[in-house]
Amino acid sequence: MLWLALKTLFHEKIRLAITLIGITVSAVLVLVQVAIYLGSMGNATAIIRHTDADLWVTSRNIQTFDFALPFSEEVIDRVRAMREVARAGKILLAYGNLKLPDGGLEQVQMIGYNPDTGLGAPWSMRVGRAVDVKGGNFMILDESAEPRLGRLSIGSNWELDFANKPQSFKLVGLSQGIRSFTTSPIVFMDYNALSAWMADVGWPGQTAFIVAKLRPGADASRVAAALRRVLPDNDVLTREGFIAKSVEYWTIETGLGMAFFLTALLATVIGGSIVGQTIYASTIEHLREFGTLKAIGARNGEIYQIIFSQAVIGAIAGYGLATAIVLSAEGALQRAGVPFYLSPALFGALFVVLLLACLGSAYFSVGKIRTLDPVSVFKG
Amino acid sequence: MEPALLVKNISKVYGRGENRVVAVDSVTLALERRELLLIMGPSGSGKTSLLSMMGCILRPTSGEIYIEGRRVSALSEADLPDVRRHALGFVFQAFNLFSALTAAENIELVLRLKRVDKARSRAIAMDLLARVGLTKRAHLYPADLSGGEKQRTALARALAGDPPIVLADEPTANLDSKTGKEIVGLLKGLAEESGKAVAVVSHDPKVEALAHRIALLEDGRLIA
Ligand SMILES: Nc1ncnc2c1ncn2[C@@H]1O[C@H](COP(=O)(O)OP(=O)(O)OP(=O)(O)O)[C@@H](O)[C@H]1O
Ligand SMILES: [Mg+2]
C-alpha cells in the first residue's frame, strides 16, 4: 500500500510542494533553534567541560561560571588537605575592557590560569601554545573574536583596562572555537599576572575557582559533601553539578531556554499540522476511493497504512531537505559567531519528534476512514 | 450445484421508531453462474440495499447469505473483507477509479490487494484491459479517459483476481446510450463467455433487453 501512498502524493504535485515547504521550513526552524541553544549551552560550560577537574570550589551561591565572585586563595589549603584530592589548582575570572585600535572599548572575560599545570588553559590552539603566556603580560585571544576586535596579529600590544588600572598585554597566541556564553571575547593570561593586577586594584590574595582532581576511585559527590562542611562560605560542586547548574541558570532563570523551547515546539506543531492538514484534505478528497478500497476488500489497517505512509514520507522528505539546508548553512553561521551545535544524535532525536508530530496529526484522518460507510460508494 | 450467490429471506431495516424504514423485506433470490440478472424497481425500492447485502458490504437485519454454498452472513465483521476480496467484483455508477493511478495501475492495485506479485499484476492488468479494448489507454489517468473508457476500466478492475461473482449498481447511468450499450454487452459477455454470475441494478432498457432474468423490487419486496 506504500505504493498507492507514493502514487497519490506525487500525483498532486502542488499539494506535495506545499507540504514539503511547510515541513522543511518548520524542521529548519527546529534544528536551528535547538542547535543554537545547545551551542550556547556548550559555550556556557566550555571551560568547565575542558578543565581536567572533578570538583569546583566557587564563591557562595554561584549561579553560573560567568558570575563567579572572588574569594580567598587560602581555601586551596583546605582542599588539598582532603585525603581524596590528588591535586588542586586555581583559576581566576574577571571582566575588563580591551581598547581597540579604532579607540573603541570591548568588554572581555579575563581568565587567569596556571601555564605550568594547564588548568583553565585554552584547550584548542591555532597559533602558539598555552604555556606562552607564562611570566608576564601575555595573552591569548580566540580567533573568532577577530571580527569584533580587528586584526589579531601575533606580537601586537593591546591595552586592557581593569578597574581603571590599564595595563598593556602582548598577544602571543590564538585559540580556536573558544567562546563565552555572553559572547564577550575571552582573554587568557597567566594566573600570576591577573592575580597581581587584582591585588593592585584592591583584591589581594583572591581567586575565582579552585578546582580539584581526585584520586582514582574517589566518589566526587561524597568528597564534595565533606568539603562543604569544611568550607561553609563556598559552594562545592562536582564537575557535572556545575555544568548542570550553569545550564539550568541560562535555561530557566533567564527564560532563555523557554524562549528557545517554545519556538522549537511551535515550529514542530506547525510542521506537524501542515502535514496533518494536507493529509486530511487529501483523505477527504479521496474518500470515495478509500470507500471503494473498503468495498473491494481492503482492511481498515491497510488503508491506515496509506495515510500513515504519507505522513512518514512527508516527514522524511521534509526533514531530509531541512538537514541539507542546515548543514550547508552551518559553516557560515559558525563563522558569523553564532553558537551552533549539531550532532548525528541530535538529528536523529529531532527527526523522531517531527515524525511523531506528523503521525499524530495524520491520525485525525484515520477517524474518517474508520467511520466511512462502504455502501456510500454506490452513490452516483 | 448450488447457486453462486443465494440470499435467503433477507431484510434490511434502517432506523428506529418514527424513522424506521424497511428497505428490503424478506427477499429470497439466487444468482447463478453464466447468468446476467437484472434487478429493477422504482427509486427507493431497496435495490442498492439488496445489492450491498449480496456484496457483503451491508449486514442484513435478518436472513442468510450464501456464497458458493458458504454461509457468509454468519461470518464476523473481520472476515468479510476477505470474502469481498476473493469472491466478488464490483462496478459502480460513478466508476470510482483511483485518480492518482493509471488505468492499468487501478487494476494492479486490486491484484496487489489480493497478494498477487508485481510482475504478474502488471501482466494480468494488461490482459484484462485488452479484453475491454483499452490496451492503448492503459497508461492514462482516469481524468484523461472518457466515461465509457472509465467504466470499461472499472469492469476490468472488477474482474481482477477472477472473482466468480460480479455486482454492478447502475453501471450505465453516467454514460451515453451508445457507450452504455457497450458496457451492457461486456457484462453479458462476462456471464456467457467467462461463466461469471452477474447481477446488475438498473432501469436502463438496454440492460433489460439483454438480461437473462429480471428481479423486480417494490417497497423492498420482490414482486417478480
Ligand atoms: N443508510 C440509510 N439510512 C436510512 N435509510 C436508508 C439508508 N439507505 C437507504 N435508506 C432508505 O432505504 C430505502 C431503500 O434505499 P435504496 O438506496 O436501497 O433504494 P434504491 O432502490 O437503490 O433507490 P435508487 O433507485 O434511488 O438508487 C429508501 O427509502 C432509502 O431512503
Ligand atoms: Mg440505488
Side-chain angles (χ1 to χ4, degrees):
Chain A
M1 289 294 109
L2 177 67
W3 172 67
L4 181 58
L6 276 168
K7 275 280 185 181
T8 308
L9 272 177
F10 284 100
H11 191 69
E12 294 156 354
K13 296 209 170 51
I14 293 174
R15 177 175 282 159
L16 180 66
I18 293 170
T19 316
L20 282 186
I21 291 169
I23 313 180
T24 306
V25 168
S26 105
V28 166
L29 214 65
V30 173
L31 278 167
V32 167
Q33 285 291 309
V34 175
I36 291 179
Y37 169 76
L38 291 179
S40 304
M41 292 307 128
N43 286 346
T45 58
I47 294 178
I48 311 173
R49 288 184 293 112
H50 285 98
T51 300
D52 182 24
D54 302 308
L55 290 183
W56 287 72
V57 178
T58 70
S59 54
R60 194 92 185 95
N61 293 327
I62 191 168
Q63 289 174 303
T64 176
F65 177 87
D66 307 73
F67 297 168
L69 295 175
F71 60 93
S72 170
E73 282 180 325
E74 284 163 18
V75 166
I76 199 167
D77 297 332
R78 273 180 277 172
V79 175
R80 283 187 174 136
M82 301 290 294
R83 202 164 33 83
E84 294 91 339
V85 171
R87 56 204 142 77
K90 298 171 289 187
I91 299 171
L92 259 175
L93 169 72
Y95 289 88
N97 288 308
L98 192 67
K99 199 163 172 201
L100 305 186
D102 65 5
L105 286 177
E106 184 77 41
Q107 199 199 41
V108 292
Q109 193 176 68
M110 300 186 291
I111 289 177
Y113 65 96
N114 182 339
D116 293 323
T117 62
L119 277 177
W123 54 89
S124 164
M125 293 298 293
R126 237 319 274 291
V127 182
R129 293 164 306 151
V131 72
D132 293 345
V133 299
K134 189 174 173 170
N137 278 6
F138 305 118
M139 66 174 182
I140 292 167
L141 288 166
D142 195 83
E143 59 170 6
S144 65
E146 197 149 33
R148 267 162 86 168
L149 304 179
R151 235 179 89 71
L152 300 177
S153 30
I154 299 298
S156 57
N157 283 293
W158 297 70
E159 193 182 298
L160 255 173
D161 183 29
F162 177 43
N164 291 320
K165 295 263 187 172
Q167 293 194 12
S168 177
F169 278 79
K170 180 188 258 188
L171 183 64
V172 294
L174 289 178
S175 66
Q176 195 173 24
I178 301 180
R179 275 178 291 226
S180 71
F181 175 81
T182 57
T183 73
S184 294
I186 299 177
V187 179
F188 287 100
M189 57 178 71
D190 190 338
Y191 186 91
N192 292 332
L194 187 51
S195 179
W197 201 358
M198 283 186 67
D200 199 27
V201 301
W203 282 319
Q206 303 280 301
T207 192
F209 303 102
I210 290 169
V211 296
K213 180 82 185 159
L214 301 182
R215 293 187 197 287
D219 177 354
S221 47
R222 294 251 305 270
V223 181
L227 260 177
R228 265 177 221 125
R229 266 172 271 146
V230 189
L231 302 170
D233 298 328
N234 291 88
D235 279 359
V236 182
L237 301 153
T238 60
R239 179 176 183 270
E240 286 67 36
F242 198 16
I243 291 172
K245 190 155 197 165
S246 294
V247 167
E248 187 184 304
Y249 174 76
W250 292 118
T251 304
I252 295 168
E253 298 282 321
T254 64
L256 189 98
M258 198 42 118
F260 277 110
F261 174 75
L262 277 182
T263 313
L265 182 72
L266 219 63
T268 310
V269 169
I270 291 171
S273 21
I274 289 170
V275 178
Q277 149 70 29
T278 43
I279 288 176
Y280 192 77
S282 169
T283 304
I284 298 296
E285 209 166 284
H286 294 282
L287 217 47
R288 178 180 283 272
E289 296 174 16
F290 287 129
T292 305
L293 267 180
K294 268 192 167 186
I296 62 184
R299 296 176 175 281
N300 279 348
E302 288 171 310
I303 303 175
Y304 300 161
Q305 245 183 51
I306 298 170
I307 289 172
F308 284 127
S309 335
Q310 288 179 342
V312 173
I313 295 162
I316 290 174
Y319 198 76
L321 279 172
T323 301
I325 292 170
V326 169
L327 284 179
S328 62
E330 187 186 8
L333 286 168
Q334 300 268 25
R335 278 191 295 282
V338 178
F340 213 69
Y341 175 82
L342 291 168
S343 72
L346 177 67
F347 275 113
L350 291 181
F351 175 66
V352 171
V353 170
L354 187 79
L355 184 65
L356 289 178
C358 291
L359 287 176
S361 57
Y363 187 76
F364 288 110
S365 302
V366 160
K368 272 276 160 212
I369 300 300
R370 197 181 43 244
T371 55
L372 177 62
D373 181 5
V375 178
S376 66
V377 296
F378 287 116
K379 295 208 180 80
Chain B
M1 200 170 162
E2 78 269 355
L5 196 154
L6 172 68
V7 297
K8 222 170 171 178
N9 205 23
I10 60 168
S11 299
K12 182 69 199 179
V13 181
Y14 292 110
R16 294 165 173 278
E18 290 265 296
N19 302 320
R20 192 169 186 274
V21 178
V22 182
V24 175
D25 191 356
S26 317
V27 169
T28 297
L29 185 67
L31 178 64
E32 305 287 347
R33 289 170 191 82
R34 310 192 164 276
E35 158 178 73
L36 173 62
L37 170 74
L38 171 63
I39 301 171
M40 288 182 79
S43 185
S45 58
K47 304 183 295 292
T48 298
S49 300
L50 176 61
L51 197 76
S52 302
M53 290 189 284
M54 290 164 73
C56 300
I57 288 173
L58 181 66
R59 247 182 204 287
T61 309
S62 62
E64 283 155 20
I65 304 169
Y66 296 84
I67 286 181
E68 301 195 302
R70 183 176 174 212
R71 200 171 122 202
V72 293
S73 48
L75 293 176
S76 77
E77 205 63 54
D79 292 325
L80 290 179
D82 273 343
V83 175
R84 300 203 290 268
R85 213 185 272 223
H86 296 294
L88 296 150
F90 295 94
V91 179
F92 311 96
Q93 176 180 343
F95 321 128
N96 296 5
L97 296 174
F98 292 83
S99 55
L101 303 183
T102 64
E105 287 165 348
N106 261 279
I107 299 160
E108 284 172 54
L109 174 70
V110 178
L111 291 161
R112 300 280 285 273
L113 209 59
K114 299 183 184 191
R115 310 269 178 267
V116 179
D117 70 58
K118 198 172 172 167
R120 245 173 66 84
S121 295
R122 179 104 265 212
I124 296 173
M126 291 314 291
D127 233 40
L128 288 169
L129 282 174
R131 272 175 68 181
V132 296
L134 279 182
T135 304
K136 288 212 179 92
R137 318 292 276 166
H139 61 285
L140 294 184
Y141 288 92
D144 301 320
L145 296 174
S146 72
E149 287 168 338
K150 281 185 212 170
Q151 199 58 304
R152 280 191 276 163
T153 305
L155 225 138
R157 180 175 71 177
L159 295 175
D162 205 22
I165 302 159
V166 174
L167 304 177
D169 194 4
E170 305 276 10
T172 60
N174 286 7
L175 302 176
D176 62 60
S177 166
K178 184 173 159 285
T179 352
K181 209 166 181 170
E182 287 167 18
I183 296 296
V184 179
L186 283 167
L187 284 167
K188 183 157 189 178
L190 285 185
E192 293 182 344
E193 285 143 39
S194 309
K196 307 277 178 210
V198 185
V200 180
V201 164
S202 181
H203 34 242
D204 187 339
K206 293 185 293 293
V207 186
E208 206 175 336
L210 292 179
H212 296 120
R213 195 154 62 92
I214 295 173
L216 194 59
L217 279 181
E218 206 175 283
D219 290 334
R221 273 191 303 275
L222 195 62
I223 56 169

